Amino acid sequence: MKRILTVIGARPQFIKAAALSRAIRESFSERIEELILHTGQHYDTSMSEVFFEELSIPRPDVLLDCGGKSQGKQTALMLDGIEQILTAQQIDAVVVYGDTNSTLAGALAAVKLHIPVVHIEAGLRSFNKSMPEEINRITCDHCSTLLFSPTDTGIANLVREGFSAAIPERCTVDAPGAFRCGDVMYDNSLHFAAIAEEKYRIADFGIGREFALVTIHRPYNADKTDRLKALLDDLSWLASARELDVVLPLHPRTRNQLEKEAPEALEAFKAIPGVKLIEPVSFLEMTFLEKNSRMIITDSGGVQKEAFFFHKPSVVIRTETEWVELVELGAAELSFETGEAMRAAFDRALGKEISEWPSVFGDGNAAAFICEQIDKRL
Ligand code: UDP
């Protein structure tokens, strides 16, 4: 029996962890025991509690309180908290997801104690080191023993950074294994879309016509008041000129900025017919909204991919993406400049005929593959 510690702390990680917990429960409960540590990075109910309940993730065995601090302080507190657990418990591997401070802290704490790190969503690069996420990804990959990349691009990035494409029978931090395994989020989208379709109707969300689903939370969008106001203008245009509902589950970071710095702009935006400004929704609700939307506008890493899973064209409000396949296939368009250019990108997305997109994110069984490798290679 291998005893793993899953370290999570942010919304996308709760969702990703659900896939692995499900695979362990269904097929590996005799070989893998999972403890869950929640760092507290996202701590309010809408960003955390609701995900555990709905996604059937076992309650965290350990809950730290590391939310809402500066990057350095937050990571330091997490490191200390995780290290204490790792020294008190017998743990065979630490599993981390993606690219947050919780990922970084989990990886650093474990590798220094010579405990193998399993990084899920390895190899992704935006090639923009001003994003804290990019620093976290690179550091975490280089501390890892098992690296699971959702895409071929991820593996190519790792090979460029010196990882071997050959996979050792037994892996160590000095002889790591990098696997292309598909995307645990694709596992989840398939699993939860069926449940969501049963549970919700469009009318539950007060939506009366075709709609664009929008999320905005990256600091370079959410923390800049003028930019945020310009984005709201473009979304208002979409609702008025293109007669689409615009559904925006507002991330707390973005809401805080608007409430503090531009309350009139926020009120004016809410008053536009067709604009539905709502609280962050649960993953099931989000899945339902994505599946039933006409198009998706987002700066989220996860949401642009989910748009692809559900064959929705997306406009990604960023200058780069680690999910380059989406852009290469024409599913997503990067668009950063507000005004005319953004509106033209909205129009291009609306004009897209979505036929079949190739399945670049695996077959929906990534989590089971990961469990197999943890069992076999460590
Ligand atoms: N999500 C959600 N509710 C929302 C907004 C997003 O469940 O109101 C989900 C979304 O479907 C995706 C994940 O949260 O799976 C993405 O998280 P986020 O955008 O915070 O982070 P990123 O993917 O950019 O790291």
Side-chain angles (χ1 to χ4, degrees):
M1 178 74 96
K2 294 228 160 58
R3 196 148 189 259
I4 63 170
L5 180 74
T6 295
V7 174
I8 49 182
R11 176 171 64 187
Q13 294 166 339
F14 310 142
I15 302 171
K16 288 164 198 163
L20 203 76
S21 296
R22 201 166 57 243
I24 293 173
R25 217 167 36 241
E26 284 172 4
S27 314
F28 290 86
S29 57
E30 314 252 290
R31 283 177 283 162
I32 299 178
E33 182 192 354
E34 184 186 35
L35 293 183
I36 296 180
L37 182 149
H38 182 347
T39 61
Q41 186 176 336
H42 281 170
Y43 47 90
D44 61 57
T45 309
S46 68
M47 298 291 286
S48 174
E49 190 69 13
V50 68
F51 288 92
F52 281 86
E53 281 164 23
E54 185 178 64
L55 306 183
S56 319
I57 310 173
R59 295 266 127 201
D61 300 279
V62 184
L63 185 56
L64 305 180
D65 176 21
C66 305
K69 319 251 178 351
S70 71
Q71 292 274 332
K73 191 162 192 178
Q74 185 175 74
T75 312
L77 283 171
M78 288 177 186
L79 264 173
D80 183 36
I82 297 167
E83 189 180 64
Q84 286 184 36
I85 300 302
L86 291 179
T87 42
Q89 301 265 353
Q90 172 57 44
I91 299 291
D92 299 311
V94 169
V95 177
V96 292
Y97 291 88
D99 53 25
T100 71
N101 287 343
S102 303
T103 316
L104 177 67
L108 272 180
V111 73
K112 297 268 179 100
L113 293 170
H114 310 137
I115 298 172
V117 175
V118 177
H119 186 201
I120 298 178
E121 282 203 342
L124 303 179
R125 299 290 180 264
S126 65
F127 301 101
N128 174 3
K129 285 192 186 142
S130 70
M131 287 175 82
E133 291 91 340
E134 185 77 348
I135 308 295
N136 294 345
R137 290 181 192 119
I138 296 172
T139 312
C140 179
D141 279 342
H142 288 262
C143 295
S144 295
T145 292
L146 298 184
L147 298 91
F148 293 100
S149 172
T151 59
D152 290 332
T153 312
I155 295 292
N157 289 338
L158 291 172
V159 168
R160 225 177 6 253
E161 289 175 18
F163 286 87
S164 167
I167 295 166
E169 201 48 45
R170 287 269 162 182
C171 299
T172 66
V173 68
D174 291 315
F179 305 79
R180 183 208 186 261
C181 69
D183 197 320
V184 289
M185 287 307 291
Y186 187 46
D187 298 14
N188 272 336
S189 286
L190 292 181
H191 179 79
F192 289 111
I195 300 173
E197 284 291 330
E198 284 285 306
K199 187 164 174 188
Y200 302 112
R201 297 286 166 266
I202 270 301
D204 299 342
F205 298 88
I207 301 169
R209 52 184 181 175
E210 284 197 315
F211 66 97
L213 179 65
V214 184
T215 72
I216 302 171
H217 78 289
R218 288 254 115 71
Y220 45 70
N221 290 321
D223 295 356
K224 303 223 165 80
T225 309
D226 285 344
R227 179 160 175 75
L228 212 42
K229 279 160 72 176
L231 285 171
L232 293 189
D233 280 347
D234 291 337
L235 295 172
S236 306
W237 172 84
L238 188 62
S240 319
R242 295 296 175 261
E243 300 190 358
L244 281 182
D245 277 2
V246 170
V247 180
L248 174 51
L250 204 55
H251 194 281
R253 179 181 201 130
T254 319
R255 182 180 287 280
N256 286 343
Q257 182 74 10
L258 282 167
E259 283 176 351
K260 251 197 344 234
E261 304 293 336
E264 316 80 33
L266 180 63
E267 286 313 307
F269 180 62
K270 282 201 258 184
I272 305 275
V275 166
K276 314 255 178 264
L277 201 76
I278 56 179
E279 289 295 308
V281 291
S282 74
F283 183 65
L284 263 193
E285 291 168 326
M286 189 68 182
T287 301
F288 180 82
L289 289 171
E290 289 168 341
K291 189 152 188 254
N292 288 282
S293 66
R294 172 84 164 78
M295 69 182 288
I296 293 180
I297 301 164
T298 187
D299 59 9
S300 153
V303 176
Q304 57 184 283
K305 233 175 358 163
E306 288 158 11
F308 178 86
F309 299 156
F310 294 121
H311 295 129
K312 306 296 173 183
S314 63
V315 174
V316 177
I317 317 170
R318 291 168 57 163
T319 52
E320 84 299 297
T321 177
E322 51 289 8
W323 304 108
V324 286
E325 296 79 3
L326 305 179
V327 178
E328 284 163 8
L329 290 167
E333 177 175 343
L334 297 172
S335 179
F336 199 68
E337 199 185 319
T338 53
E340 280 302 304
M342 187 65 73
R343 294 171 194 196
F346 292 167
D347 270 341
R348 278 192 294 278
L350 283 172
K352 271 181 198 163
E353 278 298 324
I354 306 302
S355 49
E356 277 298 290
W357 279 328
S359 164
V360 286
F361 293 101
D363 58 3
N365 292 306
F369 176 84
I370 291 168
C371 289
E372 248 168 61
Q373 302 309 319
I374 291 175
D375 188 35
K376 184 164 141 197
R377 309 264 175 192
L378 292 181

